[in-house]
Amino acid sequence: MTDDTLIEQFVASFGKHNHDDDMYARREISPIAWELRVGELDEFGDGRWRPAKVETSPSLLEPLYAILPAHFPPLYERLALSYRWAEVDLGLFSLLANPPGADLSRLLSGMMKDKALAENLIPAGYIQFGKGPDVDYDPVCFDIKSRSNSKDYRIVKIDHEEILCRDRVKVVAELAPSFRQLVLQAIERANSFKPTLR
């Protein structure tokens, strides 16, 4: 399977988790989802959002790499250069947004949004690209110390309270041995998700 095909399947899995609730676009709650809304608004003035396919020049990654301590895994690079999306809960984790814009500065801003987390994670060798599912605020990160021959990284979840209360970076789980494996897990989970009747 090519990287582009895998990314298409991954993006298509957005909304197959959690009864499609994360695809609602409410201006007050998620301005980024509102920017990506499609179709008509409902009777409450809410809409639906979908990831937008946008080809972005690889040169626009360079300003991010001038700040971050390492490059993204190739599959995440391709995802960031191919699509724009709002934060989305994928069950295993929530993927931080890659908002619409002329460059990728808003992607970087989202990764660095929580200054206390970023100031601890980056020197310790972690780049946040997600967080736990639902209300779980633990950062989900590329462990850049674990770079493989394929330039991918192990994916870990880190205890945010340990950082905020003790300035200590503590890995609480390995979610996948690589970003590619995390994507495959998310696709598999979406394909096996059985919605319950409400």
Side-chain angles (χ1 to χ4, degrees):
M1 183 184 309
T2 68
D3 284 357
D4 286 344
T5 301
L6 184 56
I7 287 167
E8 284 173 15
Q9 288 184 12
F10 180 54
V11 170
S13 79
F14 295 6
K16 289 185 180 178
H17 307 267
N18 306 320
H19 307 287
D20 210 21
D21 288 348
D22 288 321
M23 306 307 283
Y24 280 109
R26 296 181 178 100
R27 187 195 308 257
E28 304 80 20
I29 296 172
S30 179
I32 296 168
W34 189 256
E35 291 177 57
L36 291 163
R37 72 189 182 282
V38 295
E40 299 294 319
L41 300 181
D42 65 19
E43 66 271 22
F44 306 108
D46 296 329
R48 311 283 293 167
W49 73 271
R50 291 287 175 258
K53 190 161 179 59
V54 178
E55 283 303 319
T56 306
S57 169
S59 67
L60 293 177
L61 286 165
E62 293 312 313
L64 281 67
Y65 292 154
I67 294 168
L68 296 172
H71 287 206
F72 299 135
L75 190 64
Y76 185 85
E77 276 190 352
R78 191 75 201 121
L79 174 65
L81 293 172
S82 302
Y83 285 91
R84 301 304 174 96
W85 64 88
E87 183 176 307
V88 61
D89 186 341
L90 300 175
L92 301 167
F93 72 105
S94 293
L95 184 65
L96 297 181
N98 183 19
D103 57 22
L104 297 170
S105 60
R106 295 176 74 193
L107 173 64
L108 180 63
S109 293
M111 293 175 158
M112 309 291 272
K113 181 178 177 182
D114 191 318
K115 192 174 177 184
L117 292 182
E119 286 177 351
N120 282 273
L121 291 171
I122 288 177
Y126 301 101
I127 298 174
Q128 183 180 8
F129 69 94
K131 62 183 184 179
D134 197 20
V135 296
D136 183 345
Y137 196 66
D138 287 349
V140 171
C141 303
F142 302 121
D143 175 1
I144 63 173
K145 302 178 301 301
S146 68
R147 183 173 165 155
S148 68
N149 291 338
S150 62
K151 300 179 182 175
D152 209 337
Y153 308 109
R154 149 179 115 113
I155 306 304
V156 296
K157 189 174 170 197
I158 295 172
D159 188 329
H160 77 280
E161 290 185 355
E162 284 291 314
I163 293 175
L164 300 178
C165 299
R166 297 179 183 85
D167 286 324
R168 186 173 76 141
V169 176
K170 179 182 177 187
V171 174
V172 292
E174 176 181 298
L175 299 186
S178 66
F179 182 69
R180 180 175 297 276
Q181 284 300 313
L182 186 72
V183 165
L184 289 168
Q185 288 174 31
I187 293 168
E188 182 179 345
R189 184 184 186 280
N191 290 339
S192 64
F193 184 75
K194 302 280 191 286
T196 56
L197 295 175
R198 295 182 176 195

